[in-house]
Amino acid sequence: MLLKHGKELSDHERRITDLNNKMTDTLKSVDESNKYLREQNTRILEAVIRGNEKNETHKNEMEVINRQNLWKVVTIAIGSSSVIYLILQQLMHFIH
């Protein structure tokens, strides 16, 4: 009976050792997978940050261009209204 219990204990210990080894292997695999995912997430985050920086730079450049274009439109409008005024003034002068 004692030998039977000893054999059963030995079988249980072997199973526990096998389970422990399988869990260790599984945890190593999970750790490797997590490491890979962390690296991927880091790359993605860096790409998003670079994209946001480029987007912000582009937005600032567009604001500067918009302001420049506004001043060009205002200048052209003032210049063309002056030319129209001079033409009308000359026409009025010829008519009288």
Side-chain angles (χ1 to χ4, degrees):
M1 188 105 162
L2 193 56
L3 289 174
K4 184 179 175 184
H5 285 299
K7 184 180 179 210
E8 287 177 3
L9 279 176
S10 176
D11 288 343
H12 289 304
E13 286 176 358
R14 184 183 48 78
R15 287 185 194 134
I16 289 172
T17 302
D18 289 345
L19 286 174
N20 188 23
N21 290 339
K22 286 179 184 176
M23 285 180 56
T24 301
D25 291 343
T26 302
L27 289 174
K28 284 180 184 178
S29 175
V30 168
D31 284 343
E32 289 175 13
S33 176
N34 285 340
K35 181 181 176 184
Y36 173 77
L37 290 174
R38 279 192 304 273
E39 289 171 357
Q40 291 295 343
N41 286 341
T42 300
R43 288 187 199 126
I44 291 169
L45 180 60
E46 289 171 352
V48 168
I49 289 171
R50 279 192 306 273
N52 286 345
E53 289 172 353
K54 287 180 183 178
N55 187 28
E56 189 66 30
T57 302
H58 180 71
K59 184 179 175 183
N60 291 338
E61 290 172 354
M62 291 307 293
E63 287 176 5
V64 169
I65 290 171
N66 284 340
R67 276 188 249 120
Q68 290 173 346
N69 286 342
L70 177 64
W71 282 111
K72 288 178 185 177
V73 168
V74 168
T75 304
I76 290 170
I78 291 171
S80 63
S81 63
S82 299
V83 170
I84 292 171
Y85 174 75
L86 288 174
I87 292 171
L88 289 176
Q89 188 178 24
Q90 291 299 319
L91 285 174
M92 292 302 233
H93 179 64
F94 284 126
I95 292 175
H96 290 296

